[in-house]
Amino acid sequence: MSYIKSIGAYAIMLRSVFTKPQKGKIFREAVFREIDDLGVKSVGIVAFISFFIGGVVAIQTALNLEDPIIPKDLIGFATKRSMILEFSSTFVMVILAGKVGSYITSSIGAMRVSEQIDALEVMGINSLNYLVLPKIMATVFFYPFLVLLAMTLGIFGGWVAGVATGLFEQQDYISGIRIDFKPSLINYSLIKSTVFAFLIATVPSYFGYYVKGGSLEVGRASTKAVVWTIVMIIITNYFLTQLLLS
């Protein structure tokens, strides 16, 4: 019953988020601030992890292709597909769920326990719209660019790994990247990343907004928010894959 209650409270929260909007100028300033906090400040970690994961995928693929009959351009093909289909759209979002989700929960939770949210309500401001909607807009519109960055750097990282280790030829890797290129797979990843971005913005906001107690409870809520956001991403990924690729 507690899960059903939480789902209902989450749905009610979303309805309040999209009602009684604030003034346009204030909203735009809040969106740009959230883009900086939730998006721009995550570029470094996304770029670093994507580059080296691409290199690892390429090296592991090369080391497992011992049969001379198997063409070497399969290394580039496998790296490209791995980065586009799953890593850039799913694993990057899981990483952001941990980094960004805990930040959202702790920031909103701190406002709740310090009664700043109550003060907003007293002033007649829709606190959910004021706090959560800019986060949704920032993540939904900016995170697809992070996904494209992760794809590009991951494939580039695989190429650098080949040059550095000499496990495969550059021409074979580039040829593998060009094999069976389907733009629809990029669209698939971008659609997934948009849905996951919405979850990253709203699930931690729910845990932070409805937290009760003091700073200790805020910490516990941050942990629960990260866990449940990742769970929701994995479950949603399964259904989106069935829907978009079937």
Side-chain angles (χ1 to χ4, degrees), residues 14 37 89 102 129 165:
L14 291 181
D37 289 338
S89 60
S102 60
N129 180 272
T165 61

Side-chain angles (χ1 to χ4, degrees), residues 5-19 128 206 210:
K5 180 180 178 181
S6 297
I7 293 172
Y10 176 74
I12 293 172
M13 183 199 78
L14 291 181
R15 185 183 65 181
S16 299
V17 166
F18 293 100
T19 57
L128 282 170
Y206 165 79
Y210 292 106

Side-chain angles (χ1 to χ4, degrees), residues 42-55 57 79-80 82-93 95-96 142-158 173 189-190 193:
S42 300
V43 170
I45 186 66
V46 169
F48 176 80
I49 294 176
S50 300
F51 178 83
F52 283 99
I53 289 295
V57 171
T79 304
K80 176 191 67 175
S82 299
M83 297 305 300
I84 291 177
L85 286 176
E86 277 306 308
F87 179 80
S88 60
S89 60
T90 303
F91 295 132
V92 165
M93 289 298 157
I95 294 168
L96 291 175
F142 191 81
Y143 281 9
F145 292 101
L146 287 182
V147 168
L148 291 174
L149 177 66
M151 293 178 189
T152 304
L153 288 179
I155 295 172
F156 177 69
Y173 184 80
S189 294
L190 294 179
S193 66

Side-chain angles (χ1 to χ4, degrees), residues 38 92-98 100-101 104 135 139 143 193 195-205 229 233:
L38 307 181
V92 165
M93 289 298 157
V94 170
I95 294 168
L96 291 175
V100 174
I104 292 175
K135 292 178 173 57
T139 56
Y143 281 9
S193 66
V195 176
F196 298 159
F198 181 83
L199 294 174
I200 291 172
T202 55
V203 175
S205 295
T229 304
I233 287 175

